[in-house]
């Protein structure tokens, strides 16, 4: 069964455990029918409040687990409980470890050469996973036709990872997944950079302490402008909780 949908500041976030997410993802791949997974975090929630198209893309996804401890806190404050954080980067690795023999993945997005390196890293997690292809492309509609042509030429594709960041990857999937019909398509943000070693991977204690957002800010200080939106997120959650 699908997980319970919660509302954080009006935006859909699923109350999904790790076990549920992995089981659903495996079911999607086996089904042969098109499914999309979004991974909202507080920044994406704030973007979706300002973008009807992004909010609609998240709403239409088959699964939208919480990618950020801020959503767990907000859920408690707003009476919308969420049990677990399911970071997109960890989800991709766990799915790779469960890949069946001959399962074909396609990696879309990332800077020059990053998707290739990420694909090799993923293949190292599973003896059965095959990287059917990679392509950088761009999140804009102008490149949709070429990206779809390459994915179709690499077919059949069982899992499609799209790394354009929000809202580019969510909107790309909303436009193109109906045509492609990939059994499991996931927007994965900066996951390729982690897998390729271009961005430092948070150590275990940081994950356990749920301080990934702080680790990324310290190791990639250029993010400070983007993370200012977290202050607005906290303020809006507190105001809604007070009401």
């Amino acid at each position: 069964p699908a997980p319970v949908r919660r509302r954080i500041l009006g935006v859909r976030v699923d109350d999904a455990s790790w076990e549920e997410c992995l089981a659903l993802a495996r079911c999607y791949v086996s089904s042969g029918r098109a499914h999309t997974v979004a991974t909202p975090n507080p920044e994406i929630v704030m973007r979706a409040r300002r973008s009807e198209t992004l909010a609609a893309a998240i709403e239409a996804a088959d699964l939208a687990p919480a990618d950020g401890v801020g959503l767990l806190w907000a859920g408690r404050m707003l009476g919308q409980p969420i049990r677990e954080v399911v970071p997109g980067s960890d989800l991709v690795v766990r799915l790779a470890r469960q890949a069946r023999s001959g399962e074909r993945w396609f990696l879309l997005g990332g800077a020059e050469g990053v998707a290739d390196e990420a694909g090799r890293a993923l293949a190292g997690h599973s003896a059965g996973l095959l990287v059917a292809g990679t392509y950088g492309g761009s999140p804009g509609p102008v490149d949709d036709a070429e990206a779809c042509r390459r994915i179709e030429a690499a077919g059949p594709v069982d899992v499609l990872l799209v790394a354009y960041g929000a809202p580019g990857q969510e909107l790309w999937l909303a436009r193109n997944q109906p045509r492609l019909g990939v059994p499991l398509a996931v927007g994965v943000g900066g996951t390729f950079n982690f897998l390729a070693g271009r961005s430092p991977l948070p150590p275990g204690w940081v994950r356990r302490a749920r301080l990934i957002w702080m680790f990324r800010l310290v190791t990639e200080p250029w993010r400070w402008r983007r993370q200012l939106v977290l202050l607005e997120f906290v303020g809006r959650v507190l105001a809604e909780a007070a009401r």
Side-chain angles (χ1 to χ4, degrees):
V4 175
R5 295 189 177 194
R6 304 298 190 190
R7 294 285 160 189
I8 304 298
L9 301 180
V11 178
R12 173 211 177 171
V13 180
D14 290 347
D15 174 23
S17 68
W18 266 111
E19 183 180 7
E20 291 166 345
C21 287
L22 293 171
L24 283 168
R26 295 313 314 166
C27 287
Y28 296 161
V29 174
S30 300
S31 74
R33 299 188 302 273
H35 296 86
T36 301
V37 174
T39 54
N41 59 25
E43 183 180 346
I44 292 174
V45 165
M46 295 305 294
R47 283 177 174 267
R49 285 172 54 83
R50 300 183 176 94
S51 169
E52 291 184 4
T53 52
L54 176 56
I58 296 172
E59 196 68 36
D62 295 279
L63 179 63
D67 185 354
V69 67
L71 296 179
L72 268 67
W73 167 79
R76 289 195 299 270
M77 295 294 295
L78 300 174
Q80 298 284 309
I82 297 170
R83 285 167 290 163
E84 288 193 70
V85 174
V86 181
S89 55
D90 289 345
L91 178 62
V92 168
V93 171
R94 295 196 191 190
L95 288 174
R97 289 172 179 161
Q98 294 185 357
R100 68 179 188 272
S101 180
E103 193 166 290
R104 298 171 63 83
W105 290 34
F106 194 103
L107 280 62
L108 178 66
E112 183 69 28
V114 171
D116 292 329
E117 296 175 29
R120 287 191 289 271
L122 284 173
H125 286 289
S126 170
L129 188 156
L130 300 175
V131 178
T134 66
Y135 178 57
S138 70
V142 67
D143 199 45
D144 284 0
E146 177 62 16
C148 288
R149 184 191 69 79
R150 291 183 181 236
I151 294 166
E152 290 167 341
V157 172
D158 300 298
V159 178
L160 170 64
L161 306 181
V162 182
Y164 286 140
Q169 61 199 17
E170 290 80 11
L171 301 185
W172 192 96
L173 285 168
R175 292 194 308 270
N176 297 292
Q177 174 68 328
R179 166 182 169 174
L180 294 169
V182 176
L184 175 60
V186 188
V188 298
T191 297
F192 292 178
N193 287 330
F194 287 129
L195 292 170
R198 303 293 182 93
S199 295
L201 197 64
W205 70 268
V206 170
R207 290 193 179 91
R208 290 190 294 273
R210 296 175 174 175
L211 294 174
I212 294 176
W213 65 272
M214 183 177 294
F215 177 84
R216 297 192 72 180
L217 180 60
V218 171
T219 56
E220 299 174 331
W222 55 268
R223 287 179 169 272
W224 73 270
R225 291 184 183 276
R226 285 177 50 181
Q227 294 202 353
L228 285 177
V229 75
L230 298 180
L231 298 177
E232 182 183 358
F233 174 79
V234 170
R236 288 192 177 276
V237 168
L238 291 174
E240 185 167 321
R243 285 197 297 271

